[in-house]
Amino acid sequence: MPLARTDLESLLRARRLDRTLTTALPPIVNDEYAVAATGITTLDARLEGGFPRGQLSELVGPRSSGRTSLLLQMLAAATARGELVALVDALDMFDVDSAAAAGIDLDRLLWIRGHVVTNPGLCRDLNQRAIEQAIRAFTLVLQAGNFGLVVFDAAEAPVAAIRRLPFTTWLRLHRIVEGRPTTCVLVGAEPMARSSAGLTLRLGVREPGSAGEPRARFRARLFDGLDLEARAVRARRHDDVRVSLSTAAV
Amino acid sequence: MYACLYRPQQSDTYDVNRGGRAGRRTHPDRSAGSELDAIAQAFSPRYERHHDDLVSIDVTGLERLFSRPERGGPRSVWTTIGEALRREAAVRGVRVHVAVAGTCTAARVLALARPGLTVIERGGEAAALAPIPIAIFLRSHVSSLGAASSNSCVETFIRWGVRTAGELAALPPDDLAARLGRPARVWHAIARGEDVRPLVPALEAERFESSLDLDWPIEGLEPLSFVLTRLLEPLSTRLERRDRGAAVLHVLLRLVTRTSTGAGGEEPVESREVWTRRLELPSPMRDVRTLRTLALLDLESHPPSAAIDRVTIVIDPTPGRVLQHTLFTRAHPTPEQLSTLVARLGAVMGQDRVGAAQVVDSYRPGAVATRPFKTEHPPSGAASLRSRPDDGDVWPARGDDVQSLRAGLRRCRQPVPARVVAHDGHPVRVTTDRRGFAGGSVVRCAGPWRTSGEWWSTGWNRDEWDVSLTDGAVYRIFQDHQTEAWFIEAIVD
């Protein structure tokens, strides 16, 4: 089988079709200009530096899977590096106290709050419009350039609302951010952009326990935190990355 | 050559024989300064106001205007200029001492010391100042010269027995400086009538305003953008020449409204009003595109109600930004880019939806506030371009070590009403009607944590629980003690 693969690759190279080979892709340069560290040394080590700059990356997972905790950590690490960061909070769920506790320099965080109607009534498309509005704001921030980290947070948005967005939206965003020193992160329940060059980090409970058994830790009468696992499910070179994480309650 | 005008106060007569002040000094008339300024402006744009009652004028180059060949040589020119200055002051009802000399310092000391008109030819300053008592140097008008900020030197000279400027000028300057420091050398130069600093002309405050009358009234913002560009380009150039930036941008639009009187055949009546918008810019800027975009975005949110036939731009200037670029910090968006971005985001999302988050000094759960996002950020001292450890450090080995991070919350700005079944005081099942919050049975819970506050206004009083449900999520729920209702407040994520 390896021989057949080698033959096939040499044949493709002979016909100048080797650009479709993953081995022909330019090597990932592991330096501070190519990647942005998350601030979690274990994860950064396994991701060879962190999240790639100039690409659309994703943080996906179900509710209480640690997306927000990891996101806050990434924002804190970026502001600690002196970068400006922006958060497009599509559903206006950002908790300022958690952010301050995570160590984010709030002066360097541009917070864009979405308009969400709690009870839209008959106007069911109001919140869909809010998502589209947030995408417009996200596009403006990316076009401005020179932000270190730009996050589009639609983690609690209905999957159907995200799927209704034209798929060209993500291609357009990818074109904007490509080649820039910006780390672009989408946060959602499901993968949205599915960028081949970006990194998709799926978060979940550390071990599949019994049915309905969350990995929340309780100590006596206190909530202690969550036991999590981060897995790179789509990336050029991080297919086998699994990192265990745990969160400590605020 | 320099001329100096001094307007003596009535109670500020100086007794040369006694070497001191004869009367109590009163505060000079506030209008005296403007009167002296007006006299100086009538002769030369190069003048400096040292005090409300003392002005120096650079009269070099005025010889051709005031020369009287039939009345003598060049000496009479300076006398003519001095007399003209006195006449001008007399016309304005101001009594002044006038002195004309080759240096500004000599002219100033002579104007302070001698009434009437004093004219000293170039080169004769030291001799003219020689008989003047140095006690006159104690006046603030003289001590404000250059580095001579302290009168202690002059008092020391008087204690030494030095009485006149000539005696002071005769002392060796190096020895003076060795004993009394640099101020002594400055006083020595003043006694010799030498300038210790050049004249700094007062500049009139420049007004950055541009206006354009249109042949036909325009409607809509697209044609207005061309007009704004046309007006802003020369203003930007002027700002750049003066090293200034715009702090506030005023856009004044004259609107034309035509109202018909209703009677047949009569011309409609035109009324005009001025629509004013004021933009406070977060940082000094003079980029035409940025200013135009900001003005247009503001007008998009506050559109004029009628056609525009006159556009005026007024800029309040402020000193320009000094930028020191560095190779060792990351590039940031420029203040112009950030200002434009924030304005655009405000137009899309609403002005109150964009900014920097602010921690509120309150115990109220979920208290939130925003403030305007700063457009200038100093490079962080702790910032580092490194994202990898030093060569000596090692990445953590691939293993089962677990890295801990701080748990974050997702807060529901409007708490989600929930139905909670409680058993023995503990929640055992949480459900809601809200889509996306299905709920389920409680697996583990922690609480209750009682919190209350602001009882004097719309306060809160509730018990909080952290619950882990069978749907795998962890929520923070609370029961309001006033209504006994349950709500989901936040998601632990």
Side-chain angles (χ1 to χ4, degrees):
Chain A
M1 186 65 184
L3 187 62
R5 178 177 173 173
T6 309
D7 292 343
L8 184 60
E9 286 182 0
S10 62
L11 190 61
L12 285 169
R13 286 198 177 91
R15 293 181 180 275
R16 295 182 180 176
L17 294 173
D18 56 338
R19 284 180 178 277
T20 59
L21 294 174
T22 55
T23 52
L25 289 170
I28 295 175
V29 182
N30 180 18
D31 65 16
E32 63 272 21
Y33 293 102
V35 291
T38 62
I40 304 167
T41 50
T42 317
L43 187 61
D44 290 337
R46 302 297 304 278
L47 298 177
E48 298 181 356
F51 277 62
R53 296 182 187 272
Q55 305 291 345
L56 277 184
S57 298
E58 299 187 73
L59 273 180
V60 298
R63 192 172 286 166
S64 296
S65 61
R67 300 163 299 183
T68 309
S69 306
L70 184 54
L71 175 63
L72 295 180
Q73 180 61 40
M74 290 176 67
L75 290 169
T79 56
R81 288 193 297 268
E83 298 176 355
L84 290 188
V85 297
L87 170 66
V88 180
D89 189 12
L91 301 187
D92 192 15
M93 299 189 80
F94 181 65
D95 183 46
V96 179
D97 292 332
S98 299
I104 297 175
D105 182 358
L106 295 175
D107 282 338
R108 292 178 179 270
L109 170 65
L110 177 61
W111 181 25
I112 301 138
R113 307 167 63 184
H115 278 289
V116 179
V117 181
T118 314
N119 293 305
L122 296 175
C123 299
R124 289 286 181 190
D125 63 338
L126 273 181
N127 286 335
Q128 179 70 30
R129 223 179 296 164
I131 297 286
E132 289 166 5
Q133 211 174 35
I135 288 285
R136 282 183 63 195
F138 188 55
T139 309
L140 286 174
V141 177
L142 289 179
Q143 284 172 339
N146 282 337
F147 277 87
L149 174 63
V150 183
V151 180
F152 178 75
D153 186 0
E156 294 297 323
V159 176
I162 298 295
R163 284 180 184 160
R164 271 201 289 273
L165 292 172
F167 191 74
T168 52
T169 304
W170 312 116
L171 292 176
R172 181 165 49 82
L173 292 174
H174 183 261
R175 296 289 295 179
I176 294 171
V177 78
E178 194 171 23
R180 297 197 179 201
T182 302
T183 305
C184 182
V185 176
L186 312 174
V187 184
E190 295 281 331
M192 292 176 261
R194 296 181 171 82
S195 165
S196 60
L199 170 69
T200 300
L201 205 62
R202 184 179 283 281
L203 292 155
V205 295
R206 189 181 300 169
E207 297 165 2
S210 58
E213 179 74 16
R215 302 298 295 174
R217 296 192 313 274
F218 285 83
R219 185 186 301 168
R221 298 183 65 182
L222 288 173
F223 169 65
D224 195 36
L226 298 166
D227 290 331
L228 310 168
E229 184 180 72
R231 187 163 61 95
V233 293
R234 193 188 305 275
R236 286 179 190 166
R237 297 169 60 178
H238 310 302
D239 292 324
D240 59 340
V241 171
R242 286 171 185 265
V243 176
S244 295
L245 302 170
S246 70
T247 66
V250 179
Chain B
M1 292 290 282
Y2 296 89
C4 193
L5 306 182
Y6 172 58
R7 184 178 189 264
Q9 301 297 307
Q10 295 299 324
S11 58
D12 191 25
T13 55
Y14 190 82
D15 189 343
V16 173
N17 296 323
R18 287 169 57 190
R21 291 173 189 165
R24 190 172 64 85
R25 183 180 176 79
T26 58
H27 200 300
D29 186 7
R30 288 288 178 196
S31 63
S34 58
E35 285 290 344
L36 291 182
D37 282 352
I39 296 168
Q41 283 170 4
F43 282 81
S44 172
R46 281 179 52 80
Y47 70 93
E48 179 181 358
R49 192 166 92 177
H50 306 287
H51 203 263
D52 283 343
D53 51 4
L54 188 70
V55 171
S56 297
I57 310 166
D58 183 0
V59 293
T60 309
L62 297 183
E63 305 96 305
R64 294 172 64 187
L65 289 175
F66 289 89
S67 62
R68 298 281 189 276
E70 68 277 6
R71 291 180 60 189
R75 185 186 185 290
S76 64
V77 172
W78 308 119
T79 308
T80 309
I81 292 172
E83 287 170 350
L85 282 165
R86 292 198 72 191
R87 273 200 304 276
E88 181 71 24
V91 167
R92 293 172 184 269
V94 183
R95 192 173 67 86
V96 292
H97 300 178
V98 179
V100 182
T103 64
C104 186
T105 302
R108 181 151 55 162
V109 175
L110 288 168
L112 285 166
R114 295 182 181 175
L117 173 63
T118 308
V119 178
I120 303 298
E121 280 301 310
R122 197 184 299 273
E125 292 87 4
L129 294 184
I132 295 177
I134 62 168
I136 203 171
F137 293 169
L138 291 171
R139 293 191 183 189
S140 61
H141 306 81
V142 181
S143 63
S144 64
L145 276 170
S149 57
S150 168
N151 288 334
S152 60
C153 277
V154 179
E155 290 165 355
T156 306
F157 296 147
I158 293 171
R159 278 203 306 277
W160 287 353
V162 177
R163 290 287 176 263
T164 63
E167 292 171 8
L168 176 57
L171 295 176
D174 293 340
D175 292 343
L176 279 179
R179 285 166 175 76
L180 299 176
R182 188 171 177 274
R185 186 182 285 274
V186 174
W187 284 117
H188 187 267
I190 291 171
R192 295 171 60 190
E194 295 172 357
D195 281 338
V196 292
R197 67 168 175 83
L199 183 124
V200 182
L203 291 176
E204 195 179 352
E206 193 172 0
R207 186 171 173 81
F208 295 91
E209 179 177 347
S210 185
S211 179
L212 188 66
D213 285 304
L214 304 170
D215 291 339
W216 301 96
I218 58 171
E219 292 182 352
L221 296 180
E222 190 177 345
L224 184 62
S225 91
F226 295 100
V227 178
L228 288 176
T229 307
R230 164 90 186 277
L231 291 173
L232 284 168
E233 275 176 348
L235 284 177
S236 171
T237 309
R238 285 174 56 200
L239 285 170
E240 191 171 6
R241 283 179 187 157
R242 299 286 181 208
D243 189 22
R244 293 288 183 270
V248 182
L249 178 70
H250 304 268
V251 181
L252 292 86
L253 307 175
R254 192 172 68 186
L255 307 181
V256 185
T257 311
R258 292 187 177 186
T259 51
S260 175
T261 56
E266 287 192 13
E267 289 289 325
V269 179
E270 278 191 359
S271 62
R272 287 183 165 83
E273 59 174 332
V274 177
W275 177 260
T276 306
R277 295 297 306 162
R278 183 176 189 274
L279 274 81
E280 288 191 16
L281 305 171
S283 57
M285 57 183 69
R286 53 177 176 248
D287 180 55
V288 175
R289 287 182 60 190
T290 307
L291 293 172
R292 185 195 62 194
T293 306
L294 292 175
L296 286 174
L297 285 169
D298 181 68
L299 288 171
E300 272 180 18
S301 348
H302 306 86
S305 57
I308 303 157
D309 77 336
R310 181 175 191 174
V311 183
T312 305
I313 299 286
V314 182
I315 287 175
D316 294 348
T318 187
R321 279 184 294 123
V322 179
L323 288 178
Q324 177 65 55
H325 295 288
T326 170
L327 295 173
F328 302 107
T329 56
R330 290 186 184 281
H332 281 178
T334 62
E336 287 84 1
Q337 284 176 323
L338 277 179
S339 302
T340 311
L341 172 65
V342 171
R344 286 184 193 279
L345 289 171
V348 172
M349 308 295 286
Q351 297 293 340
D352 59 331
R353 312 297 290 179
V354 180
Q358 193 174 6
V359 177
V360 181
D361 184 13
S362 167
Y363 289 106
R364 179 185 285 277
V368 65
T370 55
R371 60 174 180 269
F373 188 67
K374 289 182 194 168
T375 55
E376 289 186 79
H377 295 84
S380 172
S384 167
L385 288 177
R386 284 191 311 112
S387 62
R388 303 186 62 183
D390 291 331
D391 294 337
D393 298 341
V394 181
W395 287 114
R398 182 180 300 197
D400 293 334
D401 51 344
V402 178
Q403 188 105 15
S404 179
L405 56 159
R406 196 173 281 271
L409 290 182
R410 290 187 169 272
R411 199 168 284 278
C412 306
R413 299 271 172 247
Q414 295 292 327
V416 180
R419 287 189 300 275
V420 174
V421 178
H423 177 69
D424 199 16
H426 290 68
V428 294
R429 184 171 178 79
V430 180
T431 54
T432 73
D433 292 331
R434 180 73 56 83
R435 276 201 310 177
F437 286 89
S441 299
V442 175
V443 180
R444 298 284 301 272
C445 69
W449 301 99
R450 177 155 297 177
T451 168
S452 63
E454 294 182 12
W455 48 266
W456 57 91
S457 62
T458 58
W460 72 95
N461 182 11
R462 62 196 198 178
D463 283 348
E464 290 183 354
W465 297 78
D466 291 329
V467 296
S468 163
L469 302 187
T470 49
D471 66 354
V474 181
Y475 298 96
R476 179 165 294 175
I477 64 173
F478 70 89
Q479 184 181 26
D480 187 1
H481 280 285
Q482 290 179 349
T483 61
E484 297 295 326
W486 287 84
F487 297 90
I488 293 178
E489 187 193 23
I491 303 163
V492 180
D493 190 17

